[in-house]
Amino acid sequence: MATDKIVEQATGLAEGAKSLAENAEALAAQVSQLSVQASGGTDVFVFYFTIFVLACFVGYYVVWSVTPALHSPLMSVTNAISSVIIVGALIAAGPDDMSFSKVFGFIAVVLASVNIFGGFIVSQRMLSMFKKKK
Amino acid sequence: MATDKIVEQATGLAEGAKSLAENAEALAAQVSQLSVQASGGTDVFVFYFTIFVLACFVGYYVVWSVTPALHSPLMSVTNAISSVIIVGALIAAGPDDMSFSKVFGFIAVVLASVNIFGGFIVSQRMLSMFKKKK
Amino acid sequence: MSENLSAFAYLFASVCFIMALRGLSSPLTARMGNIYGIVGMIVAVVTTLAAPNVLSFSMILLGMLIGGAIGTIIALKIEMTALPQLVAAFHSLVGLAAVFVAAAAFYEPAAYGIGVPGDIHVASLVEMSIGTAIGAITFTGSIVAFAKLQGLVSGAPVVFAGQHALNAFLGLLMIGLVVWFCGEESTALFWAIVLLAGVIGLLIIIPIGGADMPVVISMLNSYSGWAACGIGFTLANPALIVTGALVGSSGAILSYIMCKGMNRSFFNVILGGFGADDAAAGPAGGDGDKTVRQGSADDAAFIMKNAGSVIIVPGYGMAVAQAQHALREMAELLKAEGIKVSYAIHPVAGRMPGHMNVLLAEANVPYDEVFELEQINRDFASTDVAFVIGANDVTNPVAKTDPASPIYGMPILDVENSGTVLFVKRSLSPGYAGVDNVLFYRDNTMMLFDDAKTMCEDIVNALGSM
Amino acid sequence: MSENLSAFAYLFASVCFIMALRGLSSPLTARMGNIYGIVGMIVAVVTTLAAPNVLSFSMILLGMLIGGAIGTIIALKIEMTALPQLVAAFHSLVGLAAVFVAAAAFYEPAAYGIGVPGDIHVASLVEMSIGTAIGAITFTGSIVAFAKLQGLVSGAPVVFAGQHALNAFLGLLMIGLVVWFCGEESTALFWAIVLLAGVIGLLIIIPIGGADMPVVISMLNSYSGWAACGIGFTLANPALIVTGALVGSSGAILSYIMCKGMNRSFFNVILGGFGADDAAAGPAGGDGDKTVRQGSADDAAFIMKNAGSVIIVPGYGMAVAQAQHALREMAELLKAEGIKVSYAIHPVAGRMPGHMNVLLAEANVPYDEVFELEQINRDFASTDVAFVIGANDVTNPVAKTDPASPIYGMPILDVENSGTVLFVKRSLSPGYAGVDNVLFYRDNTMMLFDDAKTMCEDIVNALGSM
Ligand SMILES: NC(=O)c1ccc[n+]([C@@H]2O[C@H](COP(=O)([O-])OP(=O)(O)OC[C@H]3O[C@@H](n4cnc5c(N)ncnc54)[C@H](OP(=O)(O)O)[C@@H]3O)[C@@H](O)[C@H]2O)c1
Ligand SMILES: NC(=O)c1ccc[n+]([C@@H]2O[C@H](COP(=O)([O-])OP(=O)(O)OC[C@H]3O[C@@H](n4cnc5c(N)ncnc54)[C@H](OP(=O)(O)O)[C@@H]3O)[C@@H](O)[C@H]2O)c1
């Protein structure tokens, strides 16, 4: 009887193990499928690269369409928007605990803010001067 | 002895099951991590949408830069390149075994090919007529 | 081919397509642009053929051979004057192809990685049904446009009471069907969408007059671009998305340019009915009580031979009469006499954008003798003769003077400012817009009533024997 | 904020930045464009602040307050004539910020999801080191540019033997360091890259003359854009990538436009040394043996009052003298007399692109009286007086006639074709290119030797008392 019981338990365990193994297999399959699905099998880098290439075309066309009379404001506007690098600074300055990284982030936030405010305000000042004949 | 052996086996099985369970857990963790990593936590749709938006800007600028004298060739060139839909047809016509899908794919391949060849050749014919003063 | 590599290849193809359109910014780079387009297409096709799930090539090859042969033959045989029809016909094929691709994806979703039959991702179902619907509309719409342009059916607008209400109802029905389909995912609903979209395509194009077809074609072109985008999302293929956006923008911008050139709103064109009362509007101008000065080929030859400069204004009639070769010959003779000859092209002269430029190019007129409206309009005042051949609306000054006229506000070529205006046409009947042209009755106008080609040939003879 | 939502927000910000530059296609839409830019920036910042790993806001707020206050004060106080310096100074800050962001990512890679300290993904290391290097070059380079423009150091090019060899060597060393860094990933190497890049930035800018600084600034602007792109790849942030590409293109195109306007190759500018032998080139023209006709403010006032049309050609001297207000006053008086006054702007007049336009706008000159070279150049022939104020090179006809001249091939304003040419400048000394201007010795030229502002005020007085 004791033997019977033990055999039964062993069988139960074996089955449990089998189903676990199956589960594990299913999960493994899922893993590989997910990693394909999530990005269609392509690295995210490729997406960012595609975005980069298209953005270069947009940049090319949009800048050539700027009227020469506004080339100075163009310089200050691009200067202002290039400070969008502040997003990197914010992430660095974001954590609660102090670190080298947080200090660097803080400095970068200050620098980028000078640019953002300075750039947009100077552009606005310049642009508000351009008036049509009354 | 027999009992001992069975108990041993049972213990072995139990351990196996445990390690399997652990494996499964690790895999599950991997699944969730992978699905995040593969796309940095963003759905691929967002990437395609970004590509779409940038492509609209490129399309806008590139078409406005076409000289009016070449608007007819523009129509035939866009007609030809819009047949790039053939990539969808090729995937449908690709499998080895016959199916509805394969038939549809075949028809689409024929239609798109008419367009590709017709469109590019007619464009080339038109464009080769545009000559400078000798 | 790895997924990454093929993604780069598709990106390369997209860039090629962008460069193809970019090339069209000047006749000098246009042929190179076309080559870019061809390269992009080859790269896209080869990349797809190298995909792991494309295994059987015989049928694909057969399809490409059949399609390629048909396309090549058509492209080589077609007359340049039949371009509008050709473009319409080709569009209908793109639309149909889009429907079949969507159907294939619906029947075998696994091949596209969008789920399994009966359980396709909802996002894909939405994209798919939009792609299908637009594809089917493009198909039947382009067929109607083709038939009207080719003269297979009358170009007159087909209007009936309750037309717009019916279209609106069918549109709503369509939206309902799509929503239902995305929930149910049944085969019957899929084909119902195809059918209904086909009917809608038919109905929205029949009320539009034959001459408005170019706007329609561009619009359908734009649609087919967005359909390609939709399917591009389904297939997760960036090349399709980018190309779709390019084609979509191109069609939209061309429609816009045409509508602006005609000074009509896009909705005015699309709601149709324009040109229905041609016959009524025509005689209303009244041509009985005013006098016109009529001339012969000899008169025209004499006047031009004694001129210092001539501007030729071609229009739809030149295309119909295929007069471009005879016209170029005439221009050559005049140039040989030391007379300055140039061509002025109105943005909507003829029946499709750039129509006149292609015809003149076909007749070997160098493109640097051909000018756009803004470039040349001021020069009419200092020109001795404006030779208007088969054009009418694009020279009609009522566009500037009569706010009640349907063409009011449309920019026109100021031929009236030149010393003498020669009008080559067969009668006093109005042009496309059905508006009488006040220039016919001016003192400095001479009408040369004849077919455009015959008249040019006669003038050539007259110039030769002078 | 979910990752998807923030991705859309960044896309929105990118579109705003595109619209910001797009707005600059016309003065009418430019202010709206700037608003788009501001909105885009706010969206980008707020989206980042809402990210799950941004927890402490006090320091961020402090930083933004300090930076914002400094930026606002500078922007409100700055004179429009100091724009070139200002842009250079701002660029140096962007470069430095890029360096600090890269450093932060290097010290705390986990925050950016690019690995753990000591085991950063190689791709990220490459992107990071390129971003850092370009950032540091931009920083020191812009500092030098600023110092030269502000007059803190001499604008003269600093040249020494073996300069190019040294730069090339340092460039190679840089590449070596980057490769080493990507393998070793040591802190020391990171800072070595920063240091070396800083030195390179210094060395490549010092040989370039002060007046070539605008090209340099644009080039650095372009660099900073590509640095932002590199960091955008590291942070997987599409807004940074798109903005970087916009800024990169903008800088590259502006440099190209300037080089073309000066008819010099980009390499010629970058390799430097131009303007080193100003002193030698100047007198070589020989001004002793030729006669010039000199005039007074009264003469100028008399000539212009009796003219039918006057074209004003401003140049660098107007900016230096801050003469734009007095000039506009003079123009108003002439216009009150019924004289047609317009302004002709050469693409490289002044010291930065669009420099003259901003100064004239500052003095309330309406922008529709201000014309680009191509628009107005033909009108000089039918104009009575060309009033050239502080401009020199951009009017020098040797650019058309003397292939040996350094400005040969540069397009110029054909002031020589007008009835009388009035030149306002302080002496016969040449302009930026160091080339003697043959127009000074022409019969229809009258020199008005004085500071531009003083001269304008004197003419205003003369006109008033006439
Ligand atoms: N280009 C486009 O993209 C586009 C698109 C849509 C609509 N449209 C419209 O099309 C019109 C184009 O103006 P258009 O001035 O070129 O043409 P039009 O105003 O339609 O006039 C064409 C004239 O050509 C004459 N004609 C026809 N066949 C001829 C032949 N065989 N020989 C000689 N003359 C012949 C006709 O007069 P007879 O019958 O007396 O000979 C007619 O008056 C505009 O109203 C425009 O809005 C253009
Ligand atoms: N715009 C750009 O983006 C850019 C960029 C780089 C280089 N550049 C170069 O800059 C030059 C611009 O040409 P430009 O014709 O405007 O200037 P320019 O040729 O440099 O001549 C400026 C003239 O202004 C005179 N001047 C200086 N201060 C003055 C004052 N206070 N009052 C009156 N006159 C004064 C000087 O003569 P006196 O000393 O006799 O008074 C000088 O001849 C071109 O050679 C261009 O290639 C332009």
Side-chain angles (χ1 to χ4, degrees):
Chain A
M1 200 193 85
T3 321
D4 270 11
K5 214 179 171 183
I6 289 174
V7 169
E8 212 174 274
Q9 270 189 353
T11 318
L13 264 175
E15 260 160 33
K18 205 175 141 201
S19 82
L20 259 177
E22 267 163 22
N23 272 353
E25 221 169 308
L27 266 172
Q30 226 176 314
V31 169
S32 57
Q33 205 187 322
L34 247 177
S35 77
V36 170
Q37 257 184 11
S39 60
T42 20
D43 285 349
V44 256
F45 173 76
V46 182
F47 286 112
Y48 289 119
F49 188 73
T50 306
I51 290 173
F52 171 70
V53 171
L54 290 175
C56 288
F57 273 104
V58 175
Y60 175 87
Y61 278 108
V62 91
V63 173
W64 271 115
S65 77
V66 172
T67 165
L70 295 178
H71 274 161
S72 290
L74 172 66
M75 290 178 95
S76 67
V77 171
T78 53
N79 185 50
I81 66 173
S82 69
S83 319
V84 71
I85 198 148
I86 196 173
V87 301
L90 293 176
I91 293 173
D96 265 331
D97 36 335
M98 189 50 71
S99 68
F100 266 134
S101 171
K102 195 173 159 98
V103 175
F104 293 154
F106 174 73
I107 302 177
V109 168
V110 175
L111 295 174
S113 300
V114 174
N115 247 313
I116 294 177
F117 283 78
F120 280 124
I121 292 176
V122 123
S123 309
Q124 196 68 23
R125 255 187 77 193
M126 264 193 254
L127 293 175
S128 63
M129 290 170 183
F130 281 84
K131 290 197 204 75
K132 241 193 139 85
K133 200 162 8 194
K134 296 141 289 239
Chain B
M1 199 196 88
T3 320
D4 270 12
K5 213 178 170 185
I6 288 173
V7 168
E8 211 175 276
Q9 270 188 352
T11 319
L13 265 174
E15 261 160 32
K18 203 175 144 202
S19 84
L20 259 176
E22 269 163 19
N23 273 351
E25 220 168 309
L27 267 171
Q30 225 177 314
V31 168
S32 57
Q33 203 186 325
L34 247 176
S35 76
V36 171
Q37 255 184 11
S39 60
T42 18
D43 285 349
V44 255
F45 173 77
V46 183
F47 286 112
Y48 288 119
F49 187 73
T50 307
I51 290 173
F52 171 71
V53 170
L54 291 175
C56 287
F57 273 104
V58 176
Y60 175 88
Y61 279 108
V62 91
V63 173
W64 272 115
S65 77
V66 171
T67 164
L70 294 179
H71 275 162
S72 290
L74 172 65
M75 291 179 94
S76 67
V77 171
T78 54
N79 185 50
I81 67 173
S82 68
S83 319
V84 71
I85 198 151
I86 197 173
V87 302
L90 293 175
I91 293 173
D96 264 332
D97 36 335
M98 189 51 69
S99 68
F100 265 134
S101 172
K102 193 173 161 98
V103 175
F104 293 154
F106 174 73
I107 302 177
V109 168
V110 175
L111 296 174
S113 302
V114 173
N115 246 315
I116 295 177
F117 283 78
F120 281 125
I121 293 175
V122 124
S123 309
Q124 197 67 23
R125 256 187 76 192
M126 263 192 255
L127 293 174
S128 63
M129 290 170 185
F130 282 84
K131 289 195 204 76
K132 241 194 140 89
K133 202 162 10 196
K134 292 143 290 243
Chain C
M1 207 186 268
S2 91
E3 294 266 355
N4 280 340
L5 196 56
S6 64
F8 277 118
Y10 284 130
L11 174 59
F12 179 81
S14 316
V15 171
C16 284
F17 293 145
I18 296 173
M19 298 303 288
L21 297 196
R22 184 170 153 61
L24 293 173
S25 59
S26 143
L28 287 175
T29 52
R31 259 155 295 173
M32 197 57 217
N34 205 35
I35 309 265
Y36 271 117
I38 294 171
V39 170
M41 190 58 77
I42 293 174
V43 170
V45 168
V46 169
T47 308
T48 314
L49 289 180
N53 43 351
V54 177
L55 303 163
S56 115
F57 297 103
S58 53
M59 225 161 134
I60 291 176
L61 209 72
L62 183 70
M64 297 203 342
L65 275 181
I66 298 177
I70 300 176
T72 308
I73 293 171
I74 295 178
L76 291 179
K77 290 242 158 129
I78 197 82
E79 295 275 351
M80 280 302 139
T81 34
L83 272 181
Q85 295 91 297
L86 183 72
V87 172
F90 277 168
H91 274 149
S92 72
L93 301 184
V94 179
L96 196 57
V99 171
F100 278 113
V101 170
F106 177 68
Y107 278 83
E108 208 80 71
Y112 297 89
I114 54 170
V116 290
D119 186 19
I120 301 177
H121 307 151
V122 176
S124 302
L125 282 179
V126 176
E127 290 152 14
M128 192 189 287
S129 47
I130 294 177
T132 312
I134 301 182
I137 291 178
T138 309
F139 174 57
T140 53
S142 302
I143 293 272
V144 176
F146 172 77
K148 288 200 173 193
L149 286 169
Q150 183 70 8
L152 299 183
V153 302
S154 146
V158 178
V159 282
F160 52 86
Q163 192 164 31
H164 297 318
L166 177 67
N167 288 350
F169 168 72
L170 291 180
L172 287 177
L173 191 64
M174 188 72 192
I175 294 173
L177 267 186
V178 168
V179 173
W180 193 7
F181 170 73
C182 292
E184 289 262 315
E185 207 187 317
S186 86
T187 314
L189 281 173
F190 179 85
W191 293 111
I193 290 180
V194 173
L195 205 75
L196 180 60
V199 173
I200 293 181
L202 207 86
L203 284 178
I204 58 173
I205 307 304
I206 52 165
I208 305 178
D212 269 340
M213 282 304 126
V215 184
V216 170
I217 293 175
S218 274
M219 186 191 77
L220 293 173
N221 190 6
S222 179
Y223 285 1
S224 75
W226 306 125
C229 269
I231 292 180
F233 275 102
T234 309
L235 307 189
N237 187 317
L240 256 175
I241 296 178
V242 172
T243 313
L246 290 179
V247 175
S249 320
S250 154
I253 291 176
L254 283 184
S255 315
Y256 170 80
I257 289 175
M258 278 187 266
C259 290
K260 218 190 67 174
M262 299 193 287
N263 195 40
R264 286 169 61 198
S265 81
F266 185 67
F267 283 104
N268 179 298
V269 172
I270 290 308
L271 293 181
F274 196 73
D277 42 1
D278 252 357
D287 27 71
D289 48 345
K290 290 181 237 159
T291 55
V292 301
R293 188 155 64 106
Q294 192 177 338
S296 68
D298 288 322
D299 300 335
F302 181 79
I303 292 174
M304 288 198 279
K305 199 166 179 163
N306 291 308
S309 55
V310 174
I311 297 182
I312 297 173
V313 179
Y316 175 62
M318 184 194 80
V320 175
Q322 300 234 43
Q324 61 269 31
H325 298 280
L327 179 66
R328 201 253 315 145
E329 217 176 311
M330 185 192 92
E332 292 294 325
L333 288 180
L334 292 176
K335 280 199 285 182
E337 301 274 341
I339 299 160
K340 186 164 165 266
V341 180
S342 26
Y343 299 79
I345 311 285
H346 189 275
V348 292
R351 285 295 181 269
M352 72 188 262
H355 198 174
M356 294 296 123
N357 303 77
V358 172
L359 295 179
L360 292 179
E362 189 199 4
N364 281 320
V365 174
Y367 62 78
D368 34 10
E369 284 179 7
V370 181
F371 299 92
E372 306 295 327
L373 182 136
E374 305 85 54
Q375 294 172 316
I376 204 169
N377 220 5
R378 285 202 294 183
D379 297 350
F380 279 109
S382 56
T383 295
D384 299 320
V385 178
F387 185 77
V388 184
I389 173 165
N392 188 346
D393 296 342
V394 299
T395 64
N396 197 342
V398 300
K400 290 190 289 193
T401 53
D402 178 9
S405 161
I407 60 171
Y408 182 70
M410 162 170 147
I412 64 153
L413 288 166
D414 298 326
V415 292
E416 52 183 325
N417 295 343
S418 54
T420 309
V421 187
L422 300 177
F423 261 102
V424 182
K425 62 201 298 287
R426 295 161 310 177
S427 67
L428 281 178
S429 68
Y432 162 76
V435 185
D436 200 34
N437 192 334
V438 295
L439 282 190
F440 297 166
Y441 316 104
R442 293 272 170 93
D443 287 342
N444 67 342
T445 299
M446 176 183 278
M447 303 299 298
L448 305 168
F449 291 122
D450 209 341
D451 175 75
K453 190 175 178 186
T454 320
M455 179 54 74
C456 284
E457 285 165 354
D458 291 351
I459 296 177
V460 166
N461 289 338
L463 282 172
S465 62
M466 245 172 208
Chain D
M1 205 185 271
S2 90
E3 294 265 355
N4 280 338
L5 195 57
S6 64
F8 277 117
Y10 285 130
L11 174 60
F12 179 80
S14 316
V15 170
C16 284
F17 294 145
I18 296 174
M19 297 303 288
L21 297 197
R22 185 169 153 61
L24 294 173
S25 59
S26 144
L28 288 175
T29 53
R31 260 155 293 172
M32 195 58 217
N34 204 36
I35 308 265
Y36 271 117
I38 294 171
V39 170
M41 190 58 77
I42 292 173
V43 170
V45 168
V46 169
T47 307
T48 313
L49 289 180
N53 42 350
V54 177
L55 302 163
S56 114
F57 296 103
S58 53
M59 223 161 137
I60 290 177
L61 208 73
L62 182 69
M64 294 198 351
L65 274 181
I66 298 177
I70 300 177
T72 308
I73 293 172
I74 296 178
L76 291 179
K77 290 242 158 126
I78 197 82
E79 296 276 352
M80 281 302 140
T81 33
L83 272 180
Q85 294 91 297
L86 182 72
V87 172
F90 278 168
H91 274 149
S92 73
L93 301 185
V94 178
L96 195 57
V99 171
F100 277 113
V101 170
F106 177 69
Y107 277 82
E108 208 79 70
Y112 298 89
I114 54 170
V116 290
D119 187 17
I120 301 177
H121 307 153
V122 176
S124 302
L125 281 179
V126 176
E127 290 153 14
M128 190 189 287
S129 46
I130 294 178
T132 311
I134 300 183
I137 291 178
T138 309
F139 173 58
T140 53
S142 302
I143 293 271
V144 176
F146 171 78
K148 286 200 174 193
L149 286 169
Q150 185 69 9
L152 301 183
V153 302
S154 146
V158 178
V159 281
F160 52 85
Q163 191 164 32
H164 298 316
L166 176 66
N167 288 350
F169 168 72
L170 291 180
L172 287 177
L173 191 64
M174 188 70 190
I175 294 172
L177 267 186
V178 168
V179 172
W180 193 7
F181 171 71
C182 293
E184 289 260 316
E185 207 187 316
S186 85
T187 314
L189 280 174
F190 179 85
W191 293 110
I193 289 179
V194 173
L195 206 74
L196 180 59
V199 173
I200 292 180
L202 206 86
L203 284 179
I204 58 174
I205 307 303
I206 51 165
I208 305 178
D212 270 340
M213 280 305 126
V215 184
V216 170
I217 292 174
S218 275
M219 184 190 78
L220 293 173
N221 190 5
S222 178
Y223 285 0
S224 75
W226 306 125
C229 269
I231 290 178
F233 275 102
T234 307
L235 307 189
N237 188 316
L240 255 176
I241 296 178
V242 172
T243 313
L246 289 179
V247 176
S249 317
S250 155
I253 290 175
L254 284 183
S255 316
Y256 170 81
I257 289 175
M258 278 187 265
C259 289
K260 219 189 67 175
M262 299 192 287
N263 195 40
R264 287 168 62 196
S265 82
F266 185 68
F267 283 102
N268 178 298
V269 173
I270 290 310
L271 292 181
F274 196 75
D277 42 2
D278 253 356
D287 28 73
D289 47 346
K290 291 180 238 160
T291 55
V292 299
R293 188 157 65 107
Q294 193 175 338
S296 67
D298 289 321
D299 300 334
F302 180 79
I303 292 174
M304 287 197 280
K305 200 167 181 162
N306 291 309
S309 56
V310 173
I311 298 183
I312 297 173
V313 179
Y316 175 63
M318 184 195 78
V320 174
Q322 299 233 44
Q324 61 268 29
H325 299 279
L327 179 66
R328 202 251 316 145
E329 216 177 312
M330 183 192 94
E332 292 294 325
L333 288 180
L334 291 176
K335 279 198 284 180
E337 303 273 341
I339 299 161
K340 184 163 167 268
V341 179
S342 27
Y343 297 79
I345 311 286
H346 189 276
V348 293
R351 285 296 180 267
M352 73 187 262
H355 198 175
M356 293 297 123
N357 304 79
V358 172
L359 295 178
L360 292 179
E362 189 198 3
N364 282 320
V365 174
Y367 62 78
D368 33 10
E369 284 179 8
V370 182
F371 299 92
E372 305 296 327
L373 181 135
E374 306 85 53
Q375 294 173 315
I376 204 169
N377 220 4
R378 286 202 295 183
D379 298 351
F380 279 109
S382 55
T383 295
D384 299 320
V385 178
F387 185 79
V388 183
I389 172 164
N392 188 344
D393 296 343
V394 299
T395 64
N396 198 341
V398 299
K400 291 191 288 191
T401 53
D402 178 8
S405 161
I407 60 171
Y408 182 68
M410 162 170 149
I412 64 153
L413 288 166
D414 297 328
V415 292
E416 52 182 325
N417 295 343
S418 54
T420 309
V421 187
L422 301 177
F423 262 101
V424 182
K425 62 202 298 287
R426 297 161 309 177
S427 66
L428 280 177
S429 68
Y432 162 75
V435 185
D436 201 32
N437 193 334
V438 295
L439 283 190
F440 298 165
Y441 316 105
R442 293 272 169 94
D443 286 343
N444 67 341
T445 300
M446 175 183 278
M447 302 300 298
L448 305 167
F449 291 122
D450 208 340
D451 174 76
K453 189 175 178 186
T454 320
M455 179 54 73
C456 284
E457 285 164 353
D458 291 351
I459 296 177
V460 166
N461 290 338
L463 281 172
S465 62
M466 245 172 208

